[in-house]
Amino acid sequence: MTPMTYLAIGFAAVMFGIDKSLASGAGLLSVATLTAVMPAHQASGLTLLMAICADWSAIWAYRGNVSVKSLVRLIPFVIVGICGGIAFLYVADNAAMRRTIGIILAVFVGMYFLNLIRKRLSSNPEASSEKTPREDTGVSDAERGGKAAAFSWLKRIVCGILAGFTTMVANAAGPVTAIFFLSENLPVIRFLGTTAWFYLIVNLIKLPISIHLGMITWAGFLSMAWTIPLIIITVMIGRAIASHVSQEVFTKLIYVLSVFAVIKLLI
């Protein structure tokens, strides 16, 4: 391998450490970086190995901070998405993979910004003064509860399937799962601990599949083994920083990274 390839692998390792300990979504930059210097299937295999190492490190760093309820809500639908991703890998080329993931992420990022606009408009005193009181709308609390429950199920199904699909295709589900776990209103530390457990479970499911598809080889493991200490150190640094990050700043950072990832995948 060339020095540029080693540099790209090192950068990807740092990004995965940040992804698992501070800003979910940074791992997308790893995928984009490695894809620029090696075939997409090989890049995806290397990032999976890095992700598993970072997952174990993040679980130790955020031990005791996990929302089991949020995991149970999502994982069954993720398995469905993984199956779809396996089928997609058999028929799609690299360009199709990148554009499909980019479009999916663009939709989710767009939904986030539309939601921000909606909240800004609803907080406008002039707009709110024109609305009638809630009891005058003719919608009962039971109906509202039913709609909320239906939306919650739809969110789990859509986010789970998309997360499974994108993580199987290119280890690029960070923004999708970030959107779901943020919607669960988890504090920063619990959010990061929950995502660490989520990805460890999912990545261990993917590991034998990726080996079977030839995406992970012994030579590939040896080419990234030197980055394991780098990943662990990055996770520990990210854990220390996360203790001082506000929820608002944390959320904005995730979506800024998501926008950047979308641009990189679509151009």
Side-chain angles (χ1 to χ4, degrees):
M1 293 190 296
T2 66
M4 182 60 68
T5 303
Y6 278 109
L7 183 62
I9 292 174
F11 175 78
V14 171
M15 287 298 100
F16 258 108
I18 294 174
D19 180 280
K20 303 300 181 179
S21 62
L22 183 60
S24 180
L28 280 175
L29 305 182
S30 299
V31 178
T33 300
L34 292 181
T35 302
V37 298
M38 62 182 65
H41 276 64
Q42 182 182 355
S44 185
L46 284 184
T47 54
L48 177 58
L49 294 174
M50 291 178 182
I52 292 174
C53 177
D55 289 331
W56 281 113
S57 302
I59 286 172
W60 182 85
Y62 293 101
R63 56 195 178 278
N65 291 286
V66 58
S67 173
V68 176
K69 181 179 179 181
S70 297
L71 291 175
V72 172
R73 286 170 181 246
L74 193 61
I75 286 179
F77 303 109
V78 172
I79 294 174
V80 175
I82 288 175
C83 293
I86 294 171
F88 184 77
L89 284 172
Y90 277 107
V91 299
D93 59 14
N94 183 57
M97 289 166 57
R98 288 173 58 89
R99 291 199 172 275
T100 300
I101 296 170
I103 291 171
I104 291 171
L105 297 182
V107 170
F108 273 84
V109 172
M111 289 173 60
Y112 168 72
F113 287 112
L114 286 174
N115 188 50
L116 284 184
I117 294 172
R118 182 187 62 80
K119 288 182 178 180
R120 184 68 60 87
L121 291 175
S122 64
S123 64
N124 186 328
E126 294 181 1
S128 60
S129 64
E130 296 174 0
K131 294 181 180 179
T132 58
R134 190 180 72 171
E135 59 269 23
D136 294 335
T137 61
V139 180
S140 68
D141 289 339
E143 288 175 306
R144 288 192 188 88
K147 290 180 179 179
F151 178 77
S152 178
W153 272 101
L154 179 62
K155 178 182 67 176
R156 293 180 218 172
I157 294 170
V158 173
C159 288
I161 292 175
L162 289 180
F165 179 84
T166 54
T167 194
M168 188 65 238
V169 172
N171 298 306
V176 178
T177 52
I179 289 168
F180 175 81
F181 288 125
L182 284 172
S183 72
E184 296 280 285
N185 297 315
L186 302 177
V188 172
I189 301 301
R190 185 166 289 271
F191 170 94
L192 292 166
T194 302
T195 55
W197 272 105
F198 171 80
Y199 278 114
L200 179 62
I201 294 169
V202 170
N203 287 333
L204 289 179
I205 292 173
K206 291 161 48 183
L207 183 60
I209 300 171
S210 297
I211 293 173
H212 175 72
L213 292 173
M215 298 165 66
I216 295 178
T217 63
W218 179 247
F221 170 75
L222 293 178
S223 70
M224 61 73 58
W226 65 274
T227 67
I228 293 176
L230 184 61
I231 293 171
I232 296 173
I233 291 171
T234 304
V235 169
M236 295 302 106
I237 294 174
R239 173 65 176 88
I241 295 174
S243 302
H244 306 284
V245 176
S246 70
Q247 186 75 50
E248 182 180 2
V249 172
F250 182 74
T251 301
K252 288 181 178 179
L253 178 60
I254 287 174
Y255 283 99
V256 167
L257 289 171
S258 298
V259 170
F260 182 79
V262 168
I263 294 172
K264 293 290 290 183
L265 287 167
L266 290 179
I267 62 174

